[in-house]
Amino acid sequence: MSIEIEVLNGDASWPLAEPLFNAIWPPHVVEKLPWGRFTTAYPEWRVLLQADPEGVVCHVGVQRRDVKWNGRKMRAGGIGGVLTHEGFRRRGYASLALNAAIQFLRDEGSIDFALLFCEPHNVAFYVGRGWKPFEGEIFCDQPEGRIRYDATAPYVFDIRRAPQRGTIDLCGLPW
Ligand SMILES: CC(C)(COP(=O)(O)OP(=O)(O)OC[C@H]1O[C@@H](n2cnc3c(N)ncnc32)[C@H](O)[C@@H]1OP(=O)(O)O)[C@@H](O)C(=O)NCCC(=O)NCCS
């Protein structure tokens, strides 16, 4: 089977990604997830793995954001929406898509670290791929104002230098 991997503009590629989201994270599933009640940022970019004829079988959302770590500006790459179609799991697709997302962020030249949020059952997956727990506090924006975010655990990936303690302000919506 041939698989194509691309990094596409987040808005323009939504119609390609939407069926995968509907299959894995339809609204009634999302609302029961720990992060389901939060307003999240729309991905700026999407890594898409497409199979023929199934279409998109794996997705990783990516954004680039100026954040603050202990009050100092740092540039983060936000990773979210890591999804593989149920019939295509354990083939290394999410690992491949995450690697492509990290390479994309590295190529940008100014990203200090990548950051994602995950549920306990996915921790081993990310730790096995080099992600480390961020043991400090996360703040972010929501429509009602600035909040401390602790619904899911933050994990960081070193690109130039990843903080592991302290306070990160996402300076916007979480992802
Ligand atoms: C988490 C998720 C994205 C993983 O996707 P995936 O494409 O199956 O991931 P990979 O194939 O890259 O790796 C998964 C496991 O399969 C193993 N694997 C990879 N290639 C393999 C292969 N060819 N044969 C057998 N196993 C393989 C990996 O080693 C890994 O195992 P490990 O975690 O025990 O080390 C997927 O399970 C999913 O979509 N879950 C639901 C949504 C979700 O929770 N997303 C995460 C949000 S934070």
Side-chain angles (χ1 to χ4, degrees):
M1 180 197 293
S2 84
I3 288 282
E4 204 174 302
I5 181 161
E6 289 176 296
V7 184
L8 298 175
N9 171 280
D11 282 332
S13 63
W14 171 242
L16 292 173
E18 192 177 7
L20 182 63
F21 274 79
N22 288 341
I24 301 177
W25 279 346
H28 70 275
V29 170
V30 168
E31 73 186 19
K32 294 194 184 78
L33 294 176
W35 50 268
R37 68 195 162 88
F38 292 91
T39 305
T40 50
Y42 208 70
E44 191 189 359
W45 301 94
R46 297 177 194 280
V47 179
L48 298 178
L49 260 74
Q50 297 195 65
D52 188 20
E54 291 84 0
V56 171
V57 292
C58 181
H59 171 278
V60 172
V62 182
Q63 35 220 314
R64 298 164 301 179
R65 178 90 62 85
D66 287 339
V67 300
K68 282 191 177 147
W69 172 66
N70 289 348
R72 272 182 264 161
K73 192 182 125 184
M74 289 189 88
R75 194 147 165 83
I79 300 290
V82 181
L83 298 174
T84 301
H85 190 291
E86 275 194 8
F88 291 81
R89 290 187 186 160
R90 304 195 71 81
R91 299 183 189 195
Y93 288 175
S95 306
L96 208 60
L98 276 171
N99 286 345
I102 294 293
Q103 192 55 49
F104 176 77
L105 292 170
R106 223 186 269 287
D107 290 346
E108 211 247 22
S110 66
I111 303 287
D112 294 304
F113 64 101
L115 172 66
L116 61 74
F117 299 92
C118 80
E119 293 177 64
H121 62 90
N122 286 323
V123 164
F125 172 71
Y126 291 113
V127 169
R129 276 142 200 88
W131 292 75
K132 297 193 173 113
F134 175 75
E135 285 160 1
E137 290 188 316
I138 302 280
F139 288 85
C140 67
D141 294 344
Q142 284 294 277
E144 67 275 16
R146 187 169 181 266
I147 59 152
R148 178 169 172 237
Y149 181 85
D150 59 3
T152 42
Y155 279 76
V156 290
F157 190 95
D158 207 19
I159 292 182
R160 294 200 299 199
R161 57 200 169 124
Q164 278 190 261
R165 273 163 283 278
T167 300
I168 295 177
D169 188 333
L170 300 181
C171 300
L173 295 174
W175 49 77

